[in-house]
Amino acid sequence: MKLQRLNPAHAPAYRAITLEALALHPDAYTSSADERALRPASWWEARLNPDPDSNEVVLGAFDDDGALVGSAGLSFEAREKGRHKVTLFGMYVTPRCRRSGLGAQLMNAALDYASARPHAKIIQLTVTEANASARSLYQRLGFSTFGVEPYAIALGARYLSKVHMWRALADLD
């Protein structure tokens, strides 16, 4: 597997894998496949802005045939009082590549990338409370729970809670 930062040229593949994630696992994400499908190509390209100082970065995992099989996004807080925080979003590995260690590789690459940013001290994420496999991965990588948001997302007539997790990227002194 090859891991790399995605750029605007990857926008069609990134759109496709994101829509797949949202469609296959609607309980795992706050956005829906329908609302993301309406976004124009320019939105997907802008999210993959290659500027080294971009506030959003998406990393991708490619198989030996060059297909995008995993992604994880990082959102860097721009405001002065919050610039020590990074938020992980959109973590996904295609079903055929799960249980191969790719999720951990992708997460470790995201953690390394975030750690290299000036001022970045902590990383946060949310995970659906019932998603035991994702929660387990995050815990193995050093994330701790700091709260649970009940009724965080509505999925039809059901409401799902989100677990808020964090970990240090650097010394907090």
Side-chain angles (χ1 to χ4, degrees):
M1 295 288 168
K2 177 182 174 187
L3 301 177
Q4 71 179 69
R5 181 177 176 183
L6 301 183
N7 63 54
H10 298 114
Y14 176 58
R15 180 183 186 276
I17 197 171
T18 299
L19 294 179
E20 173 185 305
L22 298 173
L24 291 178
H25 305 285
D27 59 327
Y29 302 97
T30 305
S31 297
S32 73
D34 290 341
E35 67 189 354
R36 281 288 191 243
L38 296 174
R39 300 279 180 157
S42 59
W43 184 89
W44 297 92
E45 292 164 0
R47 178 164 258 193
L48 303 180
N49 179 352
D51 186 320
D53 296 323
S54 177
N55 288 334
E56 287 193 335
V57 170
V58 179
L59 302 177
F62 295 85
D63 68 12
D64 293 337
D65 295 326
L68 184 62
V69 294
S71 62
L74 298 167
S75 179
F76 295 89
E77 176 64 56
R79 295 173 295 181
E80 180 182 349
K81 292 181 181 180
R83 67 182 178 179
H84 63 287
K85 296 187 287 186
V86 180
T87 301
L88 180 91
F89 67 87
M91 171 65 181
Y92 180 69
V93 173
T94 60
R96 71 180 174 90
C97 294
R98 292 184 190 150
R99 301 193 192 328
S100 67
L102 180 58
Q105 289 175 26
L106 193 52
M107 281 297 300
N108 281 318
L111 292 169
D112 289 345
Y113 194 98
S115 296
R117 265 299 170 96
H119 309 292
K121 299 285 188 189
I122 67 168
I123 186 165
Q124 303 175 93
L125 59 84
T126 62
V127 59
T128 304
E129 190 172 39
N131 192 341
S133 60
R135 288 177 64 189
S136 176
L137 171 63
Y138 300 143
Q139 288 169 338
R140 284 194 312 272
L141 294 172
F143 284 83
S144 298
T145 298
F146 68 89
V148 177
E149 180 183 357
Y151 295 88
I153 61 172
L155 189 59
R158 293 186 312 145
Y159 293 92
L160 305 172
S161 298
K162 288 283 192 172
V163 176
H164 293 258
M165 302 181 83
W166 81 283
R167 69 160 269 185
L169 292 170
D171 288 334
L172 298 176
D173 295 334

